[in-house]
Amino acid sequence: MTTPDPYTPGTPDQGATPAGGAEPQQPAPGQPAPGQAYPAQPTGGQYPSAPQGPGAYPAAPAGQYAPAYGQQPENPGKTLGIVGLVLGFFGPLSLIGLILSIVGLVKSRKVGQSNGVAVAGIIVSGLVLLGTIIVGIVAGIGIAHVIETCGELGPGTHQVDGITYTCS
């Protein structure tokens, strides 16, 4: 007795051929079977290949492409961090530099990116602002002392404890 060939149509092991003589058609790979609906497709703004979790890329707005694999999206707080760092070196402007650096850091954190320039701007601006305040207080105390001494001595040039005061 011979073994029936399982690959030959119409063998007894495969069952009878349909009445029309045609073989039942199998769907192509990835296609639904006849009579089944297509699977749901992702909606706009979803990128199945985008990284998930903290630091993941934000969904691109309609009409824009998602960032290419391996590329970081534009950091929105980078420019503010740079401007804040530069202004941080200029005495009274360090207050503006501090504010801009903080805003730049917050914008960067909202998109899950770090911004070392903004952090440096916060540190530099804070230290320079603190130094400016201390120098301002010391200068104010010195000027107040000179005004008080001149008020006591009157107009003219006076020598007190080795210090010459010229009052007008």
Side-chain angles (χ1 to χ4, degrees), residues 14-105:
Q14 278 196 329
T17 306
E23 287 290 318
Q25 294 182 354
Q26 297 292 324
Q31 298 295 320
Q36 291 182 345
Y38 282 92
Q41 298 295 320
T43 59
Q46 295 178 356
Y47 300 100
S49 61
Q52 303 297 320
Y57 302 132
Q64 293 184 3
Y65 295 104
Y69 183 74
Q71 285 184 335
Q72 292 289 328
E74 184 68 26
N75 189 339
K78 186 175 182 180
T79 303
L80 287 174
I82 293 170
V83 172
L85 177 63
V86 171
L87 289 177
F89 288 104
F90 298 106
L93 294 178
S94 62
L95 177 62
I96 296 169
L98 179 65
I99 293 169
L100 290 178
S101 295
I102 291 171
V103 170
L105 183 63

Side-chain angles (χ1 to χ4, degrees), residues 84-85 87-89 94 98 119-130:
L85 177 63
L87 289 177
F89 288 104
S94 62
L98 179 65
V119 173
I122 291 170
I123 293 169
V124 168
S125 297
L127 291 174
V128 171
L129 182 61
L130 184 63

